[in-house]
Amino acid sequence: MARAGGITEAVNVGIAVQADWDNREFISQISHNVRSLFDFLVKFEATTKSKLASLNEKLDTLERRLELIEVQVGTATANPSLFMP
Amino acid sequence: METMVASASIPFPREPANYDEASMHHTLLFSDSLKDLKNLRKQLYSAAEYFEYSYTNDDQKQIVVDTLKDYAIKALVNTVDHLGSVTYKVTDLLDEKVDEVSGTELRVSCIEQRLRSCQEYIDSEGLSQQSLVIDTPKYHKRYVLPGNYILVFSICIKCLLKTFLLFYFFRLSVSGLSFSSIFSDVSCSVGETMQGANVTKSKYQGCSQDNRDDWHEFKNGSVLVMLSLYLFWCDFSFCEHILVVYHKCTKMMDVIMKLFELQLQKRHQLQSEKGALHHLLRVLPSNQERFCSLIPCPKRNKHPEPQKSASMRLPAERDNRKEPDQFPSKSKRLLKALLSRRKSKKDDMLYTYLDEY
């Protein structure tokens, strides 16, 4: 009986160790996935920031060009004699 | 747990009618996705607290652990889906805005090009109107030169001529040389530039030639020297104007020719006076040696010396040159004395006059 009880106890310990290793593996996999998700978010932030910066620059340039065109059109409309034949 | 299931059950959107409605629909979906991401954090924290409480209080811990594992996997997958959806929408929105900006830049470029073409048209029209109004004078090609080369050249020619004339008339007045020797010098100096040393030597020896030949050589040589100076000074592309310049130079030389002829007449008068003096000396053979010592010209012809320019002479030589200057006036006085002399009675007057020297 004692011998059988010793074997059962050893088996239980082995099952517990195996379950512990399984849990550790699961946790490491979850941590790896969360880390990958975090890396993706960092890259997405950098890409989005660069895109927004380029878009802001384009909008500034466009705004200046539009102001220049507005001034030119205003000058032309202020002197209608230039368009007289 | 319930909220995660509820967030996954989004109703299927109907088709948008126009652009504004579609943009509103996309904006609503994007805002819902962002709200789900914000709520996901609270759900995860609440799930973690629930499983912790269950694991400590419940006896069936293995079931709690298995349930926790399933929930963590589903939460991770749901988070990845949400993040993917949100990032895709954000990227799509950014690309859409970039495309709009590019389209706007293209339209602005079109407007700028139209404005530029309008400006060029206005400028060309104004230029054509002004060109029709202004009546530009037209000159013949040979009178048009780049810059004021004709003006500058005429000034240069005048300066050169003044320098020539001043130099030789000064030499004439100071040294008292005859015009033939002076202009033979001039022709020799021109001959040096034109024909070389051999010709120069012949010109020195030919001082007794006709003065008119010397003058023509001097004239042609001076014109050629001035023309060569002009060609050296100006560009050779103006060679078509040489003829005009040559005519100008010849006109100026004609003026100098008249002056030269006047001086030549004076020289002939002087030679006639000298001839009369020699005739009188033959009449008085006893006093010939004394008279010959008084006459400088034949002695100088006996011992010809190479003529030096005024700048090359020393001051002592210039003083020596001034001495013969007194002889023409003295010879005139002597000639008057001889002409008024009576051969038989008044020889004493001549001897007393000669004793003054």
Side-chain angles (χ1 to χ4, degrees):
Chain A
M1 289 292 290
R3 190 174 180 182
I7 293 170
T8 311
E9 191 175 347
V11 170
N12 289 332
V13 170
I15 290 169
V17 169
Q18 184 65 35
D20 185 63
W21 277 110
D22 289 340
N23 291 331
R24 287 176 185 273
E25 187 182 1
F26 176 77
I27 291 167
S28 69
Q29 286 180 357
I30 292 292
S31 299
H32 177 70
N33 288 324
V34 170
R35 203 173 294 119
S36 299
L37 192 64
F38 182 75
D39 291 338
F40 168 75
L41 285 173
V42 170
K43 287 180 182 177
F44 175 73
E45 183 193 9
T47 309
T48 308
K49 276 188 175 178
S50 68
K51 283 184 179 179
L52 284 170
S54 65
L55 191 64
N56 188 27
E57 190 177 354
K58 284 183 179 180
L59 284 170
D60 286 340
T61 308
L62 201 59
E63 191 176 358
R64 285 197 213 99
R65 288 168 70 182
L66 280 172
E67 286 178 357
L68 181 63
I69 289 170
E70 282 179 1
V71 170
Q72 286 179 351
V73 171
T75 307
T77 51
N79 298 319
S81 60
L82 292 173
F83 299 99
M84 296 296 287
Chain B
M1 294 288 285
E2 305 90 44
T3 54
M4 287 192 67
V5 175
S7 64
S9 63
I10 297 170
F12 188 76
R14 59 185 178 84
E15 289 292 326
N18 51 16
Y19 179 78
D20 294 334
E21 192 175 348
S23 65
M24 284 291 291
H25 182 70
H26 283 293
T27 307
L28 284 173
L29 286 176
F30 185 65
S31 62
D32 288 339
S33 299
L34 289 176
K35 282 180 183 177
D36 288 340
L37 276 175
K38 283 181 181 178
N39 292 326
L40 191 61
R41 185 186 178 189
K42 293 177 183 176
Q43 289 174 17
L44 289 173
Y45 272 105
S46 62
E49 288 176 357
Y50 171 76
F51 280 114
E52 188 178 3
Y53 180 76
S54 299
Y55 189 79
T56 53
N57 295 328
D58 200 348
D59 293 335
Q60 297 178 349
K61 293 184 181 179
Q62 187 62 36
I63 296 169
V64 173
V65 170
D66 292 338
T67 308
L68 177 62
K69 284 181 181 178
D70 292 337
Y71 182 79
I73 291 168
K74 285 181 182 178
L76 186 62
V77 171
N78 198 9
T79 306
V80 170
D81 287 341
H82 272 88
L83 282 175
S85 174
V86 169
T87 53
Y88 172 75
K89 286 176 182 173
V90 169
T91 308
D92 191 18
L93 188 64
L94 274 176
D95 291 338
E96 189 179 349
K97 296 299 178 188
V98 168
D99 290 339
E100 285 182 4
V101 170
S102 299
T104 310
E105 280 184 345
L106 193 62
R107 291 169 66 185
V108 169
S109 298
C110 290
I111 293 168
E112 283 181 350
Q113 192 172 357
R114 286 180 184 177
L115 276 173
R116 205 177 297 120
S117 59
C118 287
Q119 190 70 36
E120 287 177 0
Y121 176 73
I122 290 166
D123 291 341
S124 62
E125 283 294 318
L127 189 63
S128 62
Q129 287 177 4
Q130 294 298 321
S131 62
L132 288 173
V133 168
I134 297 170
D135 188 13
T136 54
K138 292 180 180 178
Y139 299 107
H140 198 274
K141 186 182 175 182
R142 63 185 176 185
Y143 298 119
V144 179
L145 274 178
N148 290 323
Y149 280 103
I150 284 290
L151 181 64
V152 176
F153 175 64
S154 63
I155 292 167
C156 181
I157 288 294
K158 284 177 183 175
C159 290
L160 278 172
L161 285 172
K162 282 180 181 177
T163 309
F164 267 83
L165 291 172
L166 283 173
F167 173 71
Y168 284 107
F169 281 115
F170 175 76
R171 188 176 171 185
L172 174 69
S173 63
V174 168
S175 62
L177 291 173
S178 62
F179 246 96
S180 61
S181 61
I182 289 168
F183 281 103
S184 66
D185 280 351
V186 172
S187 60
C188 286
S189 64
V190 171
E192 284 174 358
T193 58
M194 289 175 61
Q195 297 173 3
N198 295 326
V199 182
T200 306
K201 192 176 179 180
S202 66
K203 293 283 194 274
Y204 273 114
Q205 291 171 355
C207 288
S208 61
Q209 291 177 358
D210 193 9
N211 289 322
R212 284 188 178 275
D213 295 338
D214 291 341
W215 164 249
H216 284 299
E217 286 179 2
F218 163 69
K219 179 184 169 185
N220 294 326
S222 301
V223 170
L224 285 172
V225 167
M226 289 171 187
L227 278 174
S228 62
L229 284 172
Y230 172 63
L231 289 173
F232 177 74
W233 175 58
C234 300
D235 196 355
F236 281 93
S237 63
F238 304 130
C239 286
E240 58 181 356
H241 304 287
I242 286 174
L243 197 61
V244 179
V245 175
Y246 183 81
H247 286 307
K248 287 184 178 179
C249 291
T250 50
K251 284 178 181 176
M252 290 181 178
M253 288 301 163
D254 288 337
V255 176
I256 300 167
M257 179 72 180
K258 289 176 182 177
L259 291 172
F260 174 72
E261 284 176 352
L262 289 173
Q263 294 296 328
L264 205 63
Q265 288 175 2
K266 289 181 181 177
R267 179 181 171 277
H268 284 308
Q269 288 177 2
L270 192 65
Q271 281 182 352
S272 63
E273 289 175 359
K274 285 177 184 176
L277 186 63
H278 282 292
H279 179 70
L280 289 173
L281 287 173
R282 282 172 197 159
V283 174
L284 299 170
S286 61
N287 297 320
Q288 189 175 2
E289 292 178 357
R290 297 186 70 182
F291 279 114
C292 287
S293 65
L294 294 174
I295 299 168
C297 293
K299 284 186 178 179
R300 195 173 57 208
N301 290 331
K302 284 178 184 177
H303 305 287
E305 293 178 355
Q307 301 290 332
K308 293 180 181 178
S309 63
S311 60
M312 293 289 287
R313 279 184 218 134
L314 295 173
E317 289 178 350
R318 289 176 187 169
D319 294 337
N320 292 332
R321 289 271 184 181
K322 284 179 183 177
E323 289 177 0
D325 218 8
Q326 299 168 358
F327 288 114
S329 61
K330 288 177 181 178
S331 62
K332 285 179 183 177
R333 289 169 60 191
L334 180 64
L335 186 63
K336 286 178 182 178
L338 289 171
L339 289 172
S340 62
R341 167 180 169 267
R342 292 177 185 174
K343 290 181 182 177
S344 59
K345 296 178 180 179
K346 295 187 178 179
D347 280 340
D348 296 334
M349 287 179 63
L350 178 63
Y351 292 132
T352 52
Y353 181 80
L354 291 172
D355 288 332
E356 291 178 1
Y357 296 94

